[in-house]
Amino acid sequence: ALPLALFAGPCQLESRAHALEMASALKEIAGRLGIGLVYKTSFDKANRTSANAKRGLGLDAALPIFAEIRESLGLPIVTDVHEASQCARVAEAVDVLQIPAFLCRQTDLLIAAAETGRVVKVKKGQFLAPWDMKNVVAKVLAAGNPNVLVTERGASFGYNTLVTDMRALPILAETGAPVVFDATHSVQQPGGQGTATGGDRRFVPVLARAAVAVGVAAVFIETHQDPDHAPSDGPNMVPLGELEALLRNLQAFDRLAKA
Amino acid sequence: ALPLALFAGPCQLESRAHALEMASALKEIAGRLGIGLVYKTSFDKANRTSANAKRGLGLDAALPIFAEIRESLGLPIVTDVHEASQCARVAEAVDVLQIPAFLCRQTDLLIAAAETGRVVKVKKGQFLAPWDMKNVVAKVLAAGNPNVLVTERGASFGYNTLVTDMRALPILAETGAPVVFDATHSVQQPGGQGTATGGDRRFVPVLARAAVAVGVAAVFIETHQDPDHAPSDGPNMVPLGELEALLRNLQAFDRLAKA
Amino acid sequence: ALPLALFAGPCQLESRAHALEMASALKEIAGRLGIGLVYKTSFDKANRTSANAKRGLGLDAALPIFAEIRESLGLPIVTDVHEASQCARVAEAVDVLQIPAFLCRQTDLLIAAAETGRVVKVKKGQFLAPWDMKNVVAKVLAAGNPNVLVTERGASFGYNTLVTDMRALPILAETGAPVVFDATHSVQQPGGQGTATGGDRRFVPVLARAAVAVGVAAVFIETHQDPDHAPSDGPNMVPLGELEALLRNLQAFDRLAKA
Amino acid sequence: ALPLALFAGPCQLESRAHALEMASALKEIAGRLGIGLVYKTSFDKANRTSANAKRGLGLDAALPIFAEIRESLGLPIVTDVHEASQCARVAEAVDVLQIPAFLCRQTDLLIAAAETGRVVKVKKGQFLAPWDMKNVVAKVLAAGNPNVLVTERGASFGYNTLVTDMRALPILAETGAPVVFDATHSVQQPGGQGTATGGDRRFVPVLARAAVAVGVAAVFIETHQDPDHAPSDGPNMVPLGELEALLRNLQAFDRLAKA
């Protein structure tokens, strides 16, 4: 198996300057660790808990920034798509189209993403059993695109809580698609703060270590230089200053898991 | 409180003839019972478990049929919308736009539906706590549309199973929006048949009676003259021949609950 | 079907005077309503969240009080048993032995209770599927005692929360045993207050109406003249002063459900 | 932190010969690996799904066998206790008293086990949040016994399914008690075979690796030379012939986790 890869970045695209700064910092860390990096950022948070929450820069402002990060830093980029009509345009500026968990069964979105020819990274719905992702993968494959990734990010467990079932990782691998473990959203407490989603970043390293020990192709970790003041997912983002040590530890577990 | 109303129809729009036949039959039943009826049908099943499953007639073919049902039978119509761009066009032909459960937090879709001025009926996500629907309702209200309905249809409970928490009904009512109980999708077993979603229609009357006794504005019940040969949701649709007796019973419970 | 019966009383046996007062008050209410009453009280709360919580008077002090209630008021009594060795002695003083939910699969306890010849009322474990209660009922029947009741009291739903699946009621009825709905413990929030179990009595009438509408043999409702100062289960006991109106409403639903 | 220890043995005490054979085989494996071993076996399966299932040899027959294993092989022994009255007698023959998960809140049992002075190993109930185990540990400590172990073995997740929340491991560690991960019962499907409990041993190594990577004091793994013909827990026991390789792998993860 290939060594562990990394999807990382801040939750939202906050500004051109912030994006370039975060991407540069992550590129340096990835270089020191020799870990493959895909830069993650969202141009639109389309399903915020509350209508008053910040949604991001929007597609028009984001595309030139994505292009600049790819050109100046040579980093591949992953971003979310929310409607079928966005896929073609977003695909021009990014390498990986991510299908949000709530939308993982929207056939038109999956097909439109697949038809761009870009890698399609599908997050497993919080409402879905791991064995049901084979139908989701089949929708992408049937659209002629073999480059599909599946992502574990927790399952609904009572109200306002997610639980990660580590058995899901080998079950997802049976789809044939590489499995990514999203350590950030797995520790969310959806809606747990009334008009915002909570979380507990203390458990990011716990779940990430467990998943890497079981065996995954990549981890997805949102990070921010100041998570407590980030516009979204602050409670579950890892501070940038702690990321390198965490990744170094995960790489050691990955080598052992794949030995 | 107003007496119990009914949202009913087959899961899918199968053909013009089938739609007119079902709508006529339901109109007769509703007339005999004196129950308010909104005819439900879907022009597109956009999130089928498998890409090979039938999706319905599509928007272009459906709109004239919706118009014909409204004109010839005088029935209001509810149908699902899946992308923001569909809302304006669908709104010309129907009275109620329904937001599917998986999409209940897609802000753009909620706003686009709200801006049509039609009634917006939002299904609570399987992944959402009932108290979190207040944020969803607020998104519709903030878009200037006070005509919003909320629908209970079960919460994720382990894998491939939903459970209906009857406490959700009074909690949903605290949003100020009338509460609809969807007795059809609450008995689904999502993905429970491998490449299709299962269910158990034996429990439709059980859950419907419980919900009406607690107190709801309306019930939503999918029905079909031959559910075992219907193209979708067959295992949980009520046979048309059994609907009138079920409704008569629910009306009795409704009168008692609202006495 | 027989009309709805009632199991009611305070959670704990607090003192002889309190027990006689509560039992008298309940007997009067039951007489006015024409509802069959079994008086419930516990001599020992054997599984309190914290070791520091009050456990009750104990078996030796309780038995003469049970006898006095039966003789002076003519009321049948139900109480919990926790170990096989208690059953014979408790059976001399009460009419119904209740098996706590955590203990519903303890074979020796079920058999010892069954062998007393008293009615055995088993609470379904929070960890048990409703169809698995058939094995529990079979253990009592195999011990030669046909007088077994099964009780629904919620299923684990994430952490510190229970959910009541109303489908469980007809499934439990398939065991052949009369089904009791415990409206008090179904609204518990186990461990939800750190060192005590919380709850929300607002939902007692909600769940009780739903269950009675579906159809049950009896309801179980803990009550207290001053629940907020009761030594256990205060948050989910119904104030004695509100019980009669609640029961009158449930009786109306019961008549309709069994019409 | 101390290196990983092991609780292992067959689910049931089947016979003297079988017990001595299994214990010898496990002692040899543990010797080769340099892993601390506590031999596990049950004299009574007191909560079988069905009353017709085999329960084991019983206490009288088991105690001399326990004594023989301790003397002839020098192995410490762990076994379950089910009623307070058993504890003193069992404590004479074993080193660790295990409190079954269903019984983890039975105050008398916890105190009686604690008062023997033996190590008390408590399994977390399937219905309990991990933070609620602090109250359970406090009951043992308050009885004057500081030697308490806590065990993770999965939480109820819908019907007939358990899920292991790896976040529970550090939360349990906050009690101060060493944490044991039970990889055998975490893969149970309670009641999942109608009149027996199912499971899937494929996931034992998956969950065990995850737990050891997060960090635990010991793993608990039931094993049998022929699990498919064992009288209980067959579907989730590891074949004896596969145990050594599994443990060697877990030890490597443990060294990394504790580096």
Side-chain angles (χ1 to χ4, degrees), chain B residues 71 103 108 119 125 138 182 208:
Chain B
E71 277 163 44
L103 305 183
D108 287 340
V119 176
D182 176 344

Side-chain angles (χ1 to χ4, degrees), chain C residues 45-58:
Chain C
K45 307 302 297 176
N47 57 21
R48 298 300 302 266
T49 301
S50 162
N52 297 323
K54 277 209 181 160
R55 290 187 49 171
L57 286 190

Side-chain angles (χ1 to χ4, degrees), chain A residues 92-125:
Chain A
E92 289 174 30
V94 307
D95 306 85
V96 183
L97 299 183
Q98 180 167 271
I99 309 294
F102 293 156
L103 305 183
C104 73
R105 279 187 42 182
Q106 301 302 312
T107 306
D108 287 340
L109 180 60
L110 290 164
I111 292 175
E115 288 179 344
T116 66
R118 294 300 190 185
V119 176
V120 180
K121 177 178 179 296
V122 193
K123 294 170 82 171
K124 177 167 68 66

Side-chain angles (χ1 to χ4, degrees), chain A residues 46-49 51 55 83-84 102-103 105-108 127 129-132 135 139 156 159-160 165 191 194-195, chain B residues 46-49 51 55 83-84 102-103 105-108 127 129-132 135 139 156 159-160 165 191 194-195:
Chain A
N47 57 20
R48 298 299 302 265
T49 302
R55 289 186 51 169
E83 298 218 336
F102 293 156
L103 305 183
R105 279 187 42 182
Q106 301 302 312
T107 306
D108 287 340
F127 45 81
W131 42 83
D132 291 329
N135 297 308
K139 288 182 185 180
S156 288
Y159 293 135
N160 300 316
D165 182 354
T195 56
Chain B
N47 57 20
R48 298 299 302 266
T49 302
R55 290 186 51 170
E83 298 219 335
F102 293 154
L103 305 183
R105 278 185 46 180
Q106 302 303 312
T107 307
D108 287 340
F127 45 82
W131 41 82
D132 291 329
N135 296 308
K139 288 181 185 180
S156 288
Y159 293 135
N160 299 316
D165 182 355
T195 56

